[in-house]
Amino acid sequence: MGNQSIVTEFLLMGFADDHETQILHLVIFLFVYLTAVVGNLLIIMAVTLDHYLHNPMYFFLVHLSFLDLCFISTTVPKSIAISITQNRAVTFTGCAAQLFLIVTYTSGELFLLTAMAYDRYVAICHPLQYSMIMNWNACIQMASAAWISSLIHAVVETSLTFRVNFCGSNKIRQFFCDMPLLQKISCADSNVHTFFVFILGLFIVTFCIGVLFASYGYIFSTVLRITSVHARIKTFSTCTPHMTVFSLFVITAVFSYMIPKNLSTPIMDVVAACLYTLLPPVLNPIIYSLRNKDIQKSLWKISTRLKHLL
């Protein structure tokens, strides 16, 4: 961290210079942020207050909603503040902290989605042993492993990113401290670091996707042996929300970080970042609410109680 004496702050990119566009950006981002906060809080409340939902699948879902809530709160409020105050500066320490949190939450979400895939595999392929395999100790250990692994990954990525010198431009072409763009403005040769980050990220993504494919390979094999068409559809429906959420997260993240350099423009970088940071936290609770009758029933119970209280 010795390069603090060279660069003491970074300047994040605003979405526009004219007042009307800044107001539009503020309104859109505020609406998206409030939608994500309300949606994820409702999921957490529904699972917490309904004892019927106290099982491994919803245990992981609460962790996922909490991660989404923290993830979008790490990037969007600062962007909204820039539109209001016109102050685009972020301290060196603040930028490092933001990058650390972003890597923590994205890694944690990927690890949790992988754990949820294993949970669906055990529930469908080994239903008689489900309560024994996915007991509360196992669930807590899996969730703890996801959090610890994501924290270790974040420490490695953040320390490597901020070990290089920033002695030139301090302008980040993004509305948050993004790792690839920080590498671009460093004045040191970061090819080795970039390669290491790529290999580490590729290993994590490959491992998680491999577990997902293996789990759903066994799931599909088991479901196809079910003679009843209605039972097949019902079983597949329990996996649809998870598959949709996993695909949404991986596709947007890979698109954001693996975009070819010849296609990398300021506008494309911002669009990719919006897909990656805004869509999953907003759509995840909607996907689980629309495709899950248990969540819908629990939310209906909560709304009924609130009506009686009012």
Side-chain angles (χ1 to χ4, degrees):
M1 295 291 182
N3 50 359
Q4 289 188 42
S5 60
I6 301 173
V7 171
T8 59
E9 67 177 15
F10 296 96
L11 296 178
L12 299 177
M13 186 191 72
F15 277 81
D17 294 325
D18 59 286
H19 182 69
E20 291 77 11
T21 308
Q22 288 173 352
I23 294 297
L24 179 62
H25 156 250
L26 188 151
V27 171
I28 293 175
F29 266 50
L30 183 61
F31 174 77
V32 170
Y33 179 68
L34 292 177
T35 302
V37 169
V38 171
N40 285 289
L41 283 178
L42 285 175
I43 293 291
I44 295 173
M45 288 176 55
V47 176
T48 303
L49 298 177
D50 194 339
H51 293 285
Y52 179 74
L53 301 181
H54 291 181
N55 59 56
M57 182 176 72
Y58 296 109
F59 170 79
F60 291 121
L61 181 58
V62 166
H63 281 265
L64 183 66
S65 294
F66 178 73
L67 276 171
D68 283 333
L69 192 60
C70 294
F71 182 30
I72 199 168
S73 297
T74 304
T75 57
V76 173
K78 177 62 178 177
S79 181
I80 294 174
I82 290 175
S83 294
I84 297 174
T85 64
Q86 304 302 311
N87 181 13
R88 302 180 181 182
V90 57
T91 64
F92 187 95
T93 305
C95 189
Q98 188 182 52
L99 179 62
F100 172 80
L101 292 175
I102 289 171
V103 177
T104 298
Y105 297 139
T106 52
S107 301
E109 183 151 348
L110 187 59
F111 291 137
L112 274 176
L113 288 170
T114 304
M116 293 171 75
Y118 177 75
D119 171 73
R120 292 298 82 206
Y121 156 73
V122 176
I124 295 173
C125 299
H126 304 282
L128 299 179
Q129 291 83 32
Y130 179 74
S131 58
M132 181 178 65
I133 297 174
M134 296 300 296
N135 55 66
W136 284 114
N137 286 333
C139 292
I140 292 173
Q141 290 173 5
M142 292 171 69
S144 300
W147 279 101
I148 293 172
S149 299
S150 61
L151 287 171
I152 294 173
H153 182 215
V155 169
V156 172
E157 299 283 21
T158 306
S159 60
L160 285 175
T161 299
F162 286 92
R163 279 187 65 185
V164 300
N165 290 323
F166 298 94
C167 55
S169 174
N170 66 340
K171 296 180 180 179
I172 302 175
R173 297 187 314 176
Q174 194 57 271
F175 62 92
F176 61 92
C177 292
D178 199 14
M179 191 189 313
L181 298 179
L182 282 167
Q183 294 170 359
K184 287 183 179 180
I185 65 173
S186 66
C187 57
D189 185 5
S190 59
N191 289 333
V192 175
H193 164 247
T194 303
F195 178 75
F196 180 79
V197 169
F198 174 79
I199 294 299
L200 181 59
L202 183 63
F203 171 78
I204 292 173
V205 172
T206 302
F207 171 77
C208 293
I209 292 179
V211 173
L212 177 82
F213 281 159
S215 299
Y216 277 103
Y218 284 111
I219 289 173
F220 291 151
S221 177
T222 301
V223 171
L224 290 175
R225 290 198 295 266
I226 299 176
T227 55
S228 172
V229 176
H230 177 72
R232 286 185 188 178
I233 296 174
K234 185 177 180 180
T235 305
F236 272 128
S237 66
T238 64
C239 302
T240 303
H242 175 261
M243 287 190 294
T244 306
V245 168
F246 192 98
S247 301
L248 175 67
F249 178 75
V250 171
I251 290 172
T252 54
V254 169
F255 178 76
S256 178
Y257 283 97
M258 300 298 179
I259 184 172
K261 289 185 177 181
N262 59 338
L263 296 179
S264 180
T265 62
I267 295 177
M268 184 61 70
D269 289 339
V270 171
V271 170
C274 288
L275 292 175
Y276 161 56
T277 58
L278 302 183
L279 277 186
V282 172
L283 294 183
N284 287 357
I286 296 175
I287 292 170
Y288 272 101
S289 298
L290 292 178
R291 299 291 302 178
N292 193 302
K293 293 182 179 180
D294 293 333
I295 293 290
Q296 292 175 10
K297 290 179 181 178
S298 181
L299 291 175
W300 179 256
K301 290 179 183 178
I302 292 174
S303 64
T304 303
R305 291 176 186 174
L306 291 175
K307 287 179 181 178
H308 288 310
L309 291 175
L310 296 174

